Amino acid sequence: MVKSRLIRRVIPFTLLSWILLFCLSLLFTLNAHAARLAIVIDDFGYRVQHENKILQMPTAVSIAILPDSPHGREMAQKAHKQGREILIHLPMAPLSKQPLEKNTLHPSMSREEIGRIIHDAIQKVPHATGMNNHMGSAMTSSLDGMEKVMQVLSSYRHLYFLDSVTIGKTQVTKAAMGTPVQVLRRHVFLDNVQTEAETRHQLNRAIALARKQGSAIAIGHPYPTTVRALQQALTTLPDDIELVTPSRLLNPTSANQNDHQIARKCAKPHEPETVPATKLDYLKRVGNALTHNAIVETLSQHINKLLGKTAKQEVLHNAGKTESPKKDKTAQGNTGARTTTDACADF
Ligand SMILES: [Zn+2]
C-alpha cells in the first residue's frame, strides 16, 4: 500500500521534471542562436511623463541619466528597483554652439577637474554601471581630452564607457587602449528624425545589424514618437533577437548585471516584482512558474485521477489534515498570483 502510494507520487513528479527539462533545453537552444540587441534611452531626468513610459518597458531597455537633471536621482532609484541597467549620461562639449548642461566636459579641462566632475556625476546617478557621452563631438574627437576621461575612469572599475559616436573621428576607443576601461560603440540612433515610422525603420536597421554582427547597440531618447514606436515594436520583436543590456555585450557568457541586481532585490521581501527583461527572460519565468502553475496542478491531479485517486483525496488521506493548505495552493494557481519568491527562484 505504502509502495503504491509512493509510485503515485513519483510518476507525476517525474513527468513534471521532464517537462521542466524540455523547457530549459529549449531556452538554452534559443539563447545559443539569438542575436543580441541593446537599447539605451538617453537624456533621462527631464521628461518624467515620457520616461515613466520607458520604465514600463522590458528591463533590458537601459537608461542613461543626465547627472544635473532635476529628476535624475529619482529615476535612477526607480530604475534600480526594477533591476534596470543605468548609465551616467555625461555631458561633453559639442563642436556646434548650443546650450550646454552644467558640468560639461571640455578637452582643455585638467584631469583633476574632469575627475571632480565624474566623481560628482557618480554621486548624483546612483547604481550606474556604465557611462556614455551626451553630445560630445568636440570632446570625444580630442584624444588628449578622452585620455584624461579614461585615466579617471580607470579608478572606477565598475564603469564601462559606451561611445555614443556623435562624430565619425571619435577617439574614445584609442583613448581607452592600455587602460582597464571597457568600451562599447553605438551603432544606430533610433530618433534623429522624430517620427514613429523613422524610429521603426532605425530599429529594423539595428535588428539587421545584430543579425549580421551578432549584436548591435541602438540609442534613443524619451521623445513621444520614440516611446510609441518602442511600445509597439518591443512586443513584436522577432524570436531570434534577444534584448540585452550593454553590459551583457561586454561579458556575454557571465550572468548579466540585471540578473545580479534582481538577485539582490529578491533578497529583500515585499518589493514589487520586476518586469521581465526579454522574451527569453519571460520564458524562463514561465518555466520557473510551471511548478506553481494551475495547468501543471490540473495535470498532476488528472494523473492522480487516472491512478484512481484525486490529489485532494491523497493529501487528506495521507496527512489526515484539513484541506485548507491545498485550497490555498489551488487558489494561488487559479488567480495567477505569484509571490516575489516565485519570480526569483531561478536566480
Ligand atoms: Zn544626450
Side-chain angles (χ1 to χ4, degrees), residues 259-319:
D259 291 349
H260 289 312
Q261 288 178 339
I262 290 168
R264 282 201 296 274
K265 182 189 82 63
C266 291
K268 303 174 198 165
H270 311 307
E271 286 196 5
E273 190 177 334
T274 55
V275 181
T278 65
K279 281 181 179 178
L280 290 177
D281 284 349
Y282 180 75
L283 280 171
K284 283 176 193 168
R285 289 188 180 194
V286 169
N288 180 41
L290 274 173
T291 49
H292 300 281
N293 185 276
I295 296 169
V296 176
E297 191 77 17
T298 308
L299 181 66
S300 172
Q301 287 183 7
H302 189 67
I303 290 165
N304 275 314
K305 269 183 190 170
L306 288 175
L307 291 168
K309 195 184 285 184
T310 65
K312 184 177 168 187
Q313 284 168 332
E314 185 90 347
V315 169
L316 290 172
H317 179 81
N318 285 347

Side-chain angles (χ1 to χ4, degrees), residues 42-43 66 89 132-135 164 221:
D42 278 355
D43 293 355
L66 286 158
H89 195 43
N132 73 337
N133 52 298
H134 170 69
M135 301 184 179
S164 305
H221 301 82

Side-chain angles (χ1 to χ4, degrees), residues 8-316:
R8 283 172 199 169
R9 284 178 155 271
V10 166
I11 289 175
F13 178 77
T14 309
L15 276 171
L16 287 178
S17 301
W18 277 110
I19 291 168
L20 284 171
L21 275 173
F22 172 76
C23 288
L24 282 172
S25 60
L26 183 68
L27 285 172
F28 283 126
T29 307
L30 285 170
N31 256 321
H33 296 289
R36 294 167 185 246
L37 173 66
I39 296 177
V40 178
I41 305 298
D42 278 355
D43 293 355
F44 252 67
Y46 281 100
R47 309 170 184 88
V48 173
Q49 192 192 345
H50 300 310
E51 290 162 15
N52 278 333
K53 289 177 183 168
I54 300 285
L55 294 187
Q56 287 166 13
M57 292 177 188
T59 51
V61 175
S62 305
I63 62 166
I65 299 175
L66 286 158
D68 285 295
S69 58
H71 304 286
R73 183 179 291 275
E74 166 197 338
M75 285 298 163
Q77 301 291 11
K78 268 191 190 178
H80 178 65
K81 274 188 185 168
Q82 296 180 309
R84 195 177 297 274
E85 190 156 307
I86 298 164
L87 292 85
I88 297 167
H89 195 43
L90 199 67
M92 295 192 183
L95 285 169
S96 58
K97 284 214 179 302
Q98 48 186 306
L100 298 181
E101 284 281 309
K102 190 181 163 190
N103 290 321
T104 293
L105 295 190
H106 290 266
S108 60
M109 282 178 171
S110 67
R111 181 180 158 179
E112 287 66 36
E113 181 147 27
I114 289 174
R116 180 193 63 74
I117 290 172
I118 289 178
H119 179 77
D120 192 45
I122 290 170
Q123 307 308 309
K124 287 173 176 166
V125 185
H127 315 298
T129 54
M131 173 181 286
N132 73 337
N133 52 298
H134 170 69
M135 301 184 179
S137 49
M139 183 69 187
T140 58
S141 61
S142 163
L143 180 60
D144 180 49
M146 288 314 295
E147 278 177 346
K148 286 180 268 188
V149 171
M150 294 304 167
Q151 283 162 14
V152 171
L153 286 182
S154 297
S155 55
Y156 296 101
R157 294 294 177 104
H158 64 291
L159 291 177
Y160 63 81
F161 194 93
L162 166 61
D163 185 356
S164 305
V165 194
T166 53
I167 189 164
K169 55 176 183 176
T170 170
Q171 301 295 308
V172 169
T173 304
K174 197 171 176 186
M177 281 177 186
T179 76
V181 182
Q182 293 182 292
V183 170
L184 292 162
R185 281 170 70 94
R186 184 272 311 165
H187 299 99
V188 171
F189 271 128
L190 294 173
D191 47 21
N192 277 344
V193 178
Q194 293 179 43
T195 65
E196 284 181 57
E198 180 61 15
T199 297
R200 276 196 299 273
H201 171 67
Q202 293 301 332
L203 187 64
N204 287 336
R205 269 192 64 220
I207 287 170
L209 265 174
R211 282 179 179 140
K212 190 177 167 191
Q213 306 173 158
S215 66
I217 300 179
I219 289 183
H221 301 82
Y223 304 142
T225 49
T226 309
V227 169
R228 284 198 296 272
L230 286 179
Q231 278 172 335
Q232 189 260 327
L234 293 183
T235 57
T236 54
L237 263 189
D239 288 338
D240 65 326
I241 297 297
E242 185 186 7
L243 202 57
V244 298
T245 58
S247 62
R248 280 283 301 279
L249 300 180
L250 290 168
N251 305 298
T253 53
S254 65
N256 75 18
Q257 185 66 28
N258 241 10
D259 291 349
H260 289 312
Q261 288 178 339
I262 290 168
R264 282 201 296 274
K265 182 189 82 63
C266 291
K268 303 174 198 165
H270 311 307
E271 286 196 5
E273 190 177 334
T274 55
V275 181
T278 65
K279 281 181 179 178
L280 290 177
D281 284 349
Y282 180 75
L283 280 171
K284 283 176 193 168
R285 289 188 180 194
V286 169
N288 180 41
L290 274 173
T291 49
H292 300 281
N293 185 276
I295 296 169
V296 176
E297 191 77 17
T298 308
L299 181 66
S300 172
Q301 287 183 7
H302 189 67
I303 290 165
N304 275 314
K305 269 183 190 170
L306 288 175
L307 291 168
K309 195 184 285 184
T310 65
K312 184 177 168 187
Q313 284 168 332
E314 185 90 347
V315 169
L316 290 172

